[in-house]
Amino acid sequence: MSQDKSRRGPLQRRREISDHVLTEGSVSASDLAERFGVSVMTIYRDIDELEREGVLRKFRGGVTVQPSGVFESNVAFRKKTMRLEKEAIAARAATLIEPGMSVLLDDSTTALELARLLPRIEPLTVVTNFLEVLNLLADERGLHLMALGGDYDPLHDSFLGVPCVEAVEALRVDLCFVSTSSVYGDYAFHQEQRIVAVKRAMLKAAGRSVLMIDHSKLDRTALHRLTPLTTFDLILIDDRTPPEVLRSLDERGVPYEIAETAAA
C-alpha cells in the first residue's frame, strides 16, 4: 500500500471513488480496493455511504452509476451520455420557440442542451428549477430568467419539493419542455416520486408540452408512472429510435418528430 493512498481520509477517498465510478460507469469492489489501497471491507463501507447519499448504487460485487428502475443517475453522469442525440433533439426543440414566448424547462440534461440555444431566440422568459441552466443563462440580458425555488438536491442540481411545485402552480407558460428516464408502453415513467411531482405540475402549467427523449430511454421501466404519452402535444426523439417504436406511436396517435443526429 503506498503512503499517499494510506493517508487518504474517508471523505476524500469517497469523493475519488465517486469520480472514478462516474468515469468508468461500473466498477467491482475488488478493483476499487486495489486502486485505493484499502480492504474490500473498507470499500464496502464507502459504497454503503455513497449509496445512502444517492451518488451510486450497489450490485453484487461492485458499484455503478448506471440507472435502474429505482435509481436515477446523477446529473454529472447524465451529462456525459447520449450527447449527440440530446443536441439533435434540443436543436429541433429550439425551432418550436418564438421570441417573446415564456418557456419552462425541467432539470433534465436534454433541457440543458436546449438552454444553450435560447440566447439565439431572445427575448424570452425562461422558467426553470435547474441550477445549471440558471447559471448558464444568468448573464443573458435578452432573457427574463425566473428561478423556481424549493429544496436543493445536489444529485440533480435542481430545486424540488412542495415549494417548487407550488411555485410552478402559480404560473402559466407558453411552452414546457421536459424529459424523463423511461418510456414504456403508453406511459412515461421516472424513478423518483419527488421528480414526478414537479414534472406533473410543469405539464399542467403549460399551454403546450413537449417530451424530449432519446432512444436509450425507450422500452425501459422505472418505478413511478409520470403521465400518458398522449398528454404531450409533441414528442421529440432521435433518429436511432427503432422502427417498431415509431409504429407503436403511430398506432396510438401520439404526435412525434424525429431529430436528425449529426455525425460524430
Side-chain angles (χ1 to χ4, degrees), residues 99-121:
M101 280 185 167
S102 55
V103 177
L104 179 57
L105 303 180
D106 73 352
D107 60 356
S108 64
T109 51
T110 310
L112 176 61
E113 294 303 321
L114 175 57
R116 301 185 197 281
L117 306 177
L118 297 184
R120 307 176 188 177
I121 320 173

Side-chain angles (χ1 to χ4, degrees), residues 30-176:
S30 59
D31 286 345
L32 289 173
E34 181 178 355
R35 180 180 182 86
F36 291 97
V38 296
S39 69
V40 173
M41 187 65 70
T42 297
I43 286 296
Y44 273 120
R45 286 196 292 269
D46 291 335
I47 289 173
D48 286 341
E49 179 60 22
L50 291 169
E51 184 177 51
R52 186 190 66 79
E53 295 172 3
V55 175
L56 42 75
R57 65 180 175 90
K58 293 187 295 185
F59 63 90
R60 177 171 289 188
V63 65
T64 183
V65 289
Q66 299 282 353
S68 72
V70 295
F71 175 84
E72 166 71 317
S73 302
N74 66 41
V75 67
F77 180 75
R78 289 186 285 120
K79 283 167 60 178
K80 296 171 56 179
T81 63
M82 297 290 159
R83 285 294 304 271
L84 290 177
E85 289 82 358
K86 291 173 182 177
E87 290 171 0
I89 291 168
R92 183 66 192 91
T95 67
L96 305 174
I97 305 172
E98 298 178 2
M101 280 185 167
S102 55
V103 177
L104 179 57
L105 303 180
D106 73 352
D107 60 356
S108 64
T109 51
T110 310
L112 176 61
E113 294 303 321
L114 175 57
R116 301 185 197 281
L117 306 177
L118 297 184
R120 307 176 188 177
I121 320 173
E122 299 172 349
L124 288 174
T125 295
V126 181
V127 186
T128 188
N129 66 326
F130 197 177
L131 183 57
E132 188 149 356
V133 169
L134 293 169
N135 290 332
L136 175 69
L137 301 179
D139 295 328
E140 294 294 334
R141 295 186 178 182
L143 299 177
H144 176 210
L145 196 57
M146 296 180 63
L148 297 168
D151 300 318
Y152 178 69
D153 183 334
L155 295 179
H156 297 282
D157 199 21
S158 65
F159 299 92
L160 302 170
V162 172
C164 183
V165 171
E166 291 180 344
V168 175
E169 290 174 342
L171 299 173
R172 185 67 179 172
V173 299
D174 296 315
L175 272 172
C176 172

Side-chain angles (χ1 to χ4, degrees), residues 189-243:
F189 290 82
H190 198 278
Q191 297 96 332
E192 298 182 46
Q193 198 169 28
R194 56 187 174 162
I195 300 285
V196 167
V198 171
K199 290 183 191 290
R200 284 179 178 170
M202 288 180 167
L203 296 176
K204 291 179 181 178
R208 295 183 65 217
S209 60
V210 179
L211 176 65
M212 305 182 296
I213 192 157
D214 66 74
H215 70 276
S216 70
K217 300 172 181 178
L218 300 171
D219 201 30
R220 276 175 37 183
T221 59
L223 185 60
H224 298 286
R225 191 167 69 183
L226 170 60
T227 192
L229 296 181
T230 52
T231 299
F232 299 97
D233 295 283
L234 181 64
I235 296 177
L236 297 179
I237 50 182
D238 67 84
D239 55 5
R240 293 178 62 190
T241 301

